[in-house]
């Protein structure tokens, strides 16, 4: 008799989703890097580059720190508020407006 109505197929990780989530968190934690601390001179240079990119509408590579990772994107600067420490970046891929803090920036370079 070959009756498999009561049997379930075993799938590794799918049987214990909490374990899979926990393992993914451990893997993500190991990939984290500490945020780079910039000198006053580096921060000034980033600010000048942002302002120039805004006024000339030149495309930039923007490297920033988010959730333990350094991310680099290509796009355009739409707005800079140096006093409020904010800027708006439009990414090249999805053309979405990203409001970011100047303190998250690691580097800005012209393409």
């Amino acid at each position: 008799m070959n009756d498999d109505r009561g049997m379930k197929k075993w799938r590794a990780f799918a049987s214990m989703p909490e374990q899979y989530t926990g393992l993914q968190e451990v893997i993500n934690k190991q990939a984290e890097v500490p945020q780079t601390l910039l000198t006053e001179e580096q921060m000034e240079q980033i600010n000048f580059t942002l302002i120039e990119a805004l006024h000339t509408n030149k495309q930039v590579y923007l490297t920033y720190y988010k959730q333990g990772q350094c991310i680099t994107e290509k796009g355009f600067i739409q707005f800079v508020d140096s006093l409020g420490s904010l800027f708006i970046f439009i990414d090249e891929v999805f053309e979405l407006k990203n409001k970011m803090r100047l303190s998250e920036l690691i580097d800005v370079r012209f393409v």
Side-chain angles (χ1 to χ4, degrees), residues 81-100:
D81 179 5
S82 297
L83 295 176
S85 299
L86 297 171
F87 69 98
I88 296 176
F89 174 75
I90 301 175
D91 71 86
E92 180 187 56
V93 179
F94 300 110
E95 296 181 358
L96 295 174
K97 288 183 182 182
N98 300 291
K99 189 175 184 179
M100 303 173 85

Side-chain angles (χ1 to χ4, degrees), residues 33-43 46 65 70 103-107:
V33 294
Q35 185 170 3
T36 305
L37 296 176
L38 302 176
T39 66
E40 191 70 35
E41 186 179 318
Q42 288 170 315
M43 288 187 287
I46 285 174
Y65 184 82
C70 294
S103 60
E104 295 172 336
L105 279 178
I106 296 170
D107 193 25

Side-chain angles (χ1 to χ4, degrees), residues 1-2 9 30 46 54-55 82 84 87 98 101-102 108:
M1 241 166 102
N2 196 2
K9 185 175 181 179
Q30 288 177 340
I46 285 174
L54 173 67
H55 291 295
S82 297
F87 69 98
N98 300 291
R101 297 181 192 278
L102 289 172
V108 180

Side-chain angles (χ1 to χ4, degrees), residues 10-57:
W10 182 78
R11 295 180 296 162
F13 298 121
S15 60
M16 297 182 71
E18 339 43 71
Q19 184 179 14
Y20 177 75
T21 302
L23 285 173
Q24 192 60 47
E25 287 175 11
V26 169
I27 292 167
N28 289 345
K29 207 65 153 161
Q30 288 177 340
E32 283 185 11
V33 294
Q35 185 170 3
T36 305
L37 296 176
L38 302 176
T39 66
E40 191 70 35
E41 186 179 318
Q42 288 170 315
M43 288 187 287
E44 283 181 24
Q45 184 58 49
I46 285 174
N47 200 32
F48 287 135
T49 305
L50 285 174
I51 299 295
E52 184 179 344
L54 173 67
H55 291 295
T56 61
N57 201 33

Side-chain angles (χ1 to χ4, degrees), residues 51-69:
I51 299 295
E52 184 179 344
L54 173 67
H55 291 295
T56 61
N57 201 33
K58 289 183 181 177
Q59 199 169 32
V60 293
Y61 286 113
L62 191 74
T63 303
Y64 58 95
Y65 184 82
K66 185 175 184 177
Q67 298 176 347
Q69 296 184 8

